[in-house]
Amino acid sequence: MKMTENDLYDFIKSIKPLDFVACESARKYQSKLAMPPGSLGVLQELAIQMAGITGNIKSEVAKKRIVVFCADNGVVEEGVASAPQSVTALQAVNMTKFKTGMSVIAKKMGCEVEVVDVGIKCAYECEKILNKKIRLGTNNISKSAAMTRDECITAIGIGIELAKKAKAEGIQILGTGEMGIGNTTTSTAVLCALTKTQPDLITGRGGGITDEALAKKKQIIQRSLQVNKPNANDVLDVLSKVGGFDIAGMCGLFLGGAQCHLPIVIDGYISVVAALCAKRISSVSADYFIPSHKSKEKGYVLAAEELGVKPFLDLNMRLGEGSGCPLAFEVVEAACTIMNDMASFDGAGIDDSYLTEIRKQRGF
């Protein structure tokens, strides 16, 4: 059954804030662990966030899954991408074989990968790809709206459905991935619309294009905004007019993950734009988002600032696909291990009275 707009609004109301009592309990528990106050930095912050998400001081993230939304974008006919459109289908299949950049890392680190077709245009044969195809790619956004509003809601609904499915199957942490030639163009158009930023300032090279193609890409994004006139105050309007099925699907996964009390990891540029869309739809949902790496794509910094997240890795990556997620999963697992396995001062036989004044001065 497809999600309606009323269904979506009802669902949004069911997303609850973090368990702040659990967060405070985790913070107090950390003060008893045998280490100088705050000495594990971001790992401690993540552990507190995890407590708020799960409601438990001690959490596990042993069962991990990256959900990859695959879709084609009509705007590629304008020459804004370096790769042919057929690569979307080819790489989607390769992901199921654990042969792409993201999937080889995921396999090495014990992460499940779920590849979902929400709008691949070219034909392929692969039973391992989950068929949720809305249609054969979006329209060319420089000429008309990418999709209808109903199609956008359907894509978001698919993401929500997959988050619920993951929860039911015992997944403890989710990652967001995408595959779709031309999707840095659509992502930038969405970001420009949401933040009222000029394309010249944040348009990047995506998979790698020439100076001439970059100049054209900026022009195409500008034209898309002029043709469609997306309403910055209506995320569904923005996504349906200048977005893509993959971005809308990821947006739904972020919303669904939050509703299911699952930590959900942001990958790179396309993913962080989808996360921003989710936050604009439900501000509470962002409490469940965990950043991974700083994408080298030009617009990432603006999107991350708007979202209010600080990535804890900077590896000069710009692949996408969800490639930052398995790396972030390891960091989150380390944060959980601190709470689960680290000795307290009492357990380590250490008198921690020497830290009393330090704790007072530093607010611990």
Side-chain angles (χ1 to χ4, degrees), residues 24 53 271:
E24 187 57 30
I53 291 171
S271 180

Side-chain angles (χ1 to χ4, degrees), residues 21-35 44 47-48 51 56-58 335-345 359:
V21 173
C23 288
E24 187 57 30
S25 296
R27 188 174 285 107
K28 289 179 179 177
Y29 183 79
Q30 286 182 359
S31 69
K32 299 175 183 178
L33 297 178
M35 60 180 171
Q44 290 184 241
I48 291 169
N56 302 310
I57 292 176
K58 298 183 178 184
C336 292
T337 297
I338 292 166
M339 305 296 281
N340 297 341
D341 301 329
M342 193 171 178
S344 65
F345 281 102
R359 285 172 175 154

Side-chain angles (χ1 to χ4, degrees), residues 125-138:
E125 291 185 11
C126 183
E127 293 181 356
K128 292 182 180 179
I129 294 177
L130 183 61
N131 184 6
K132 295 287 183 179
K133 194 190 297 286
I134 298 167
R135 62 177 159 92
L136 299 174
T138 56

Side-chain angles (χ1 to χ4, degrees), residues 15 22 26 32 35 48 52 59 75 77 82 97 118 123 146 152 168 175 189 229 247 267 269 291 322 338 360:
I15 300 174
K32 299 175 183 178
M35 60 180 171
I48 291 169
S59 305
V75 73
E77 68 187 33
S82 58
K97 299 176 180 178
V118 286
C152 177
K229 297 179 174 56
I247 305 170
D267 178 36
Y269 183 49
I338 292 166
K360 285 180 181 178

Side-chain angles (χ1 to χ4, degrees), residues 24-275:
E24 187 57 30
S25 296
R27 188 174 285 107
K28 289 179 179 177
Y29 183 79
Q30 286 182 359
S31 69
K32 299 175 183 178
L33 297 178
M35 60 180 171
S39 58
L40 283 174
V42 172
L43 293 181
Q44 290 184 241
E45 294 170 14
L46 280 172
I48 291 169
Q49 183 183 5
M50 285 295 299
I53 291 171
T54 66
N56 302 310
I57 292 176
K58 298 183 178 184
S59 305
E60 295 281 348
V61 288
K63 198 165 183 185
K64 304 161 279 191
R65 178 179 294 169
I66 302 167
V67 182
V68 186
F69 295 87
C70 305
D72 280 304
N73 302 281
V75 73
V76 297
E77 68 187 33
E78 299 296 333
V80 294
S82 58
Q85 196 163 57
S86 58
V87 171
T88 301
L90 292 169
Q91 285 292 77
V93 172
N94 284 330
M95 285 178 184
T96 69
K97 299 176 180 178
F98 293 94
K99 294 296 182 183
T100 70
M102 172 277 297
S103 58
V104 297
I105 300 171
K107 183 178 181 181
K108 182 68 175 178
M109 296 186 175
C111 309
E112 295 181 17
V113 175
E114 185 170 48
V115 184
V116 188
D117 176 359
V118 286
I120 298 175
K121 185 173 183 178
C122 298
Y124 63 88
E125 291 185 11
C126 183
E127 293 181 356
K128 292 182 180 179
I129 294 177
L130 183 61
N131 184 6
K132 295 287 183 179
K133 194 190 297 286
I134 298 167
R135 62 177 159 92
L136 299 174
T138 56
N139 303 322
N140 182 342
I141 60 172
S142 72
K143 296 178 179 178
S144 67
M147 66 191 86
T148 67
R149 191 176 181 93
D150 284 346
E151 286 173 332
C152 177
I153 294 167
T154 296
I156 291 172
I158 291 168
I160 290 171
E161 172 193 334
L162 292 174
K164 290 181 176 180
K165 175 173 168 283
K167 180 73 172 181
E169 292 173 352
I171 295 298
Q172 295 166 308
I173 189 167
L174 278 172
T176 51
E178 40 62 40
M179 184 64 230
I181 300 304
N183 61 9
T184 58
T185 298
T186 52
S187 297
T188 302
V190 168
L191 183 58
C192 286
L194 290 177
T195 61
K196 299 181 180 179
T197 303
Q198 290 300 308
D200 274 353
L201 299 176
I202 61 170
T203 302
R205 295 182 185 271
I209 53 177
T210 64
D211 291 345
E212 293 78 14
L214 178 60
K216 186 173 185 180
K217 184 176 179 179
K218 293 176 181 179
Q219 292 170 1
I220 292 299
I221 294 170
Q222 184 66 57
R223 187 192 305 165
S224 300
L225 297 170
Q226 291 170 347
V227 166
N228 291 292
K229 297 179 174 56
N231 179 358
N233 298 314
D234 183 350
V235 175
L236 298 181
D237 190 65
V238 172
L239 278 173
S240 62
K241 286 180 174 177
V242 297
F245 293 135
D246 51 352
I247 305 170
M250 283 193 290
C251 173
L253 193 75
F254 280 115
L255 294 170
Q259 197 268 350
C260 291
H261 293 271
L262 282 173
I264 181 162
V265 173
I266 302 165
D267 178 36
Y269 183 49
I270 293 96
S271 180
V272 79
V273 170

